[in-house]
C-alpha cells in the first residue's frame, strides 16, 4: 500500500508497508511520502480507509456542514477536490439545483417551492408529471397519454407505451399501458410501436404472463 524507504511503524507507512490510521501517503517516483491527516487544515485528505476526510472547511466547528471530525453533516453537501478546502452548503429545495446528502435526496428541483407544477414544495415528483434535469435544474411537464411521446414520470403513472392515440385494443391502451398479448417498443420521448405476440414469426416474445418458450418461424 506504500513504501517510504524504511520499516518503521508510526510514520504513516508501517513496517509491512501498509497505510497507518491517521496518515495520508502519496507516491512520487515509486517512493511514498506520508503526512498526518489534520482535520481543519483547509486540505481534504484521503488517508487510511478508517479516517479519510469527507470534507475539510478549515475549522473544527460542528453545524456548518463539515463536522469537527471532517465528516459531511446531514442536510449538507460539500464539494472540493483532494488537497483543497471544501465548500459546504445546505440542501435547499427551490434553489434550482437537485442535490443529495446522505439519505436526503431531492427527486427534482425546479427553482421554486410551489405545489402543482410537477415538483412539489419539498422537491418530490408529483403524480402526472415528468421532470428532466439540465445543469442541475428540473423542468417538469404534464404526462399526456396519446401525445406520441412515451414519458417516464412519477412511479404511479409512468407510461408503458404511447402510440399517439387514446384507443384500446391496439396494443397500447387509453391509459398508455401495454395490453395483454401485445409487445410495445420505443424509447422514452418517442412514439411506441405495438404488435401482437405471434407464434411462428421467428421472434420469441413475452407480453405479461404470455411468453413464448420458442419461435422457429413456423
Amino acid at each position: 500500500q506504500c513504501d517510504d524507504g524504511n520499516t518503521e511503524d508510526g510514520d504513516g507507512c508501517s513496517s509491512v508497508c501498509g497505510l497507518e490510521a491517521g496518515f495520508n501517503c502519496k507516491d512520487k517516483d515509486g517512493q511514498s511520502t506520508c503526512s498526518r491527516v489534520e482535520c481543519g487544515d483547509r486540505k481534504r485528505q484521503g488517508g487510511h480507509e478508517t479516517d479519510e476526510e469527507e470534507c475539510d472547511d478549515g475549522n473544527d466547528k460542528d453545524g456548518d456542514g463539515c463536522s469537527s471530525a471532517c465528516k459531511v453533516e446531514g442536510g449538507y453537501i460539500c464539494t472540493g477536490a483532494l488537497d483543497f478546502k471544501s465548500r459546504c452548503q445546505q440542501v435547499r429545495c427551490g434553489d434550482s439545483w437537485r442535490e443529495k446528502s446522505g439519505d436526503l435526496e431531492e427527486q427534482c428541483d425546479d427553482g421554486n417551492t410551489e405545489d402543482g407544477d410537477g415538483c412539489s414544495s419539498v422537491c418530490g415528483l408529483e403524480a402526472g408529471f415528468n421532470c428532466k434535469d439540465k445543469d442541475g435544474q428540473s423542468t417538469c411537464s404534464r404526462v399526456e397519454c396519446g401525445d406520441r411521446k412515451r414519458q417516464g414520470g412519477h412511479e404511479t403513472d409512468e407510461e408503458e407505451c404511447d402510440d399517439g392515440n387514446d384507443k384500446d385494443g391496439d396494443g397500447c391502451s387509453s391509459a398508455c399501458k401495454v395490453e395483454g398479448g401485445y409487445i410495445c417498443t420505443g424509447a422514452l420521448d418517442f412514439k411506441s410501436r405495438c404488435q401482437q405476440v405471434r407464434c411462428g414469426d421467428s421472434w420469441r416474445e413475452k407480453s405479461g404472463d404470455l411468453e413464448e418458450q420458442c419461435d422457429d418461424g413456423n
Side-chain angles (χ1 to χ4, degrees):
Q1 292 180 318
C2 57
D3 195 319
D4 60 353
N6 66 65
T7 54
E8 298 177 6
D9 290 319
D11 60 358
C13 188
S14 73
S15 58
V16 292
C17 289
L19 286 175
E20 294 180 309
F23 287 86
N24 177 41
C25 297
K26 296 181 180 180
D27 295 334
K28 185 177 180 180
D29 298 328
Q31 184 169 353
S32 304
T33 301
C34 301
S35 59
R36 190 172 293 279
V37 175
E38 299 287 351
C39 180
D41 64 357
R42 301 168 64 94
K43 291 183 180 180
R44 185 171 75 85
Q45 294 182 302
H48 189 273
E49 62 271 12
T50 60
D51 58 9
E52 182 170 331
E53 292 182 319
E54 294 179 0
C55 56
D56 195 318
D57 60 354
N59 65 63
D60 57 359
K61 297 177 182 178
D62 292 317
D64 60 358
C66 186
S67 74
S68 56
C70 285
K71 302 295 182 184
V72 177
E73 296 176 307
Y76 285 83
I77 186 170
C78 297
T79 56
L82 285 173
D83 295 323
F84 288 88
K85 180 182 176 182
S86 303
R87 176 179 175 269
C88 301
Q89 61 184 30
Q90 279 185 298
V91 175
R92 290 189 177 90
C93 179
D95 63 358
S96 300
W97 195 261
R98 190 162 74 87
E99 298 164 314
K100 178 181 180 181
S101 174
D103 294 332
L104 173 64
E105 181 176 9
E106 296 179 319
Q107 293 182 318
C108 55
D109 196 316
D110 59 354
N112 66 66
T113 54
E114 298 176 5
D115 290 317
D117 59 358
C119 187
S120 74
S121 58
V122 292
C123 286
L125 286 174
E126 295 181 309
F129 287 86
N130 177 42
C131 297
K132 296 181 180 180
D133 294 335
K134 184 176 181 181
D135 299 328
Q137 183 171 357
S138 305
T139 302
C140 302
S141 58
R142 192 172 292 279
V143 175
E144 298 287 351
C145 181
D147 63 357
R148 302 169 63 94
K149 292 183 179 180
R150 185 170 74 84
Q151 294 182 302
H154 189 272
E155 62 271 11
T156 61
D157 57 10
E158 182 169 330
E159 292 183 318
E160 296 179 359
C161 56
D162 196 318
D163 59 355
N165 65 63
D166 57 0
K167 298 178 182 178
D168 292 317
D170 59 359
C172 187
S173 74
S174 57
C176 284
K177 302 294 183 184
V178 177
E179 296 176 309
Y182 284 83
I183 186 170
C184 297
T185 57
L188 284 173
D189 295 323
F190 288 88
K191 181 183 177 182
S192 303
R193 177 178 175 269
C194 301
Q195 61 184 30
Q196 279 185 297
V197 175
R198 291 188 175 90
C199 179
D201 62 359
S202 301
W203 194 262
R204 191 162 73 87
E205 297 163 315
K206 178 181 179 181
S207 175
D209 295 331
L210 173 63
E211 182 176 6
E212 295 179 319
Q213 294 182 322
C214 57
D215 196 317
D216 62 355
N218 62 64

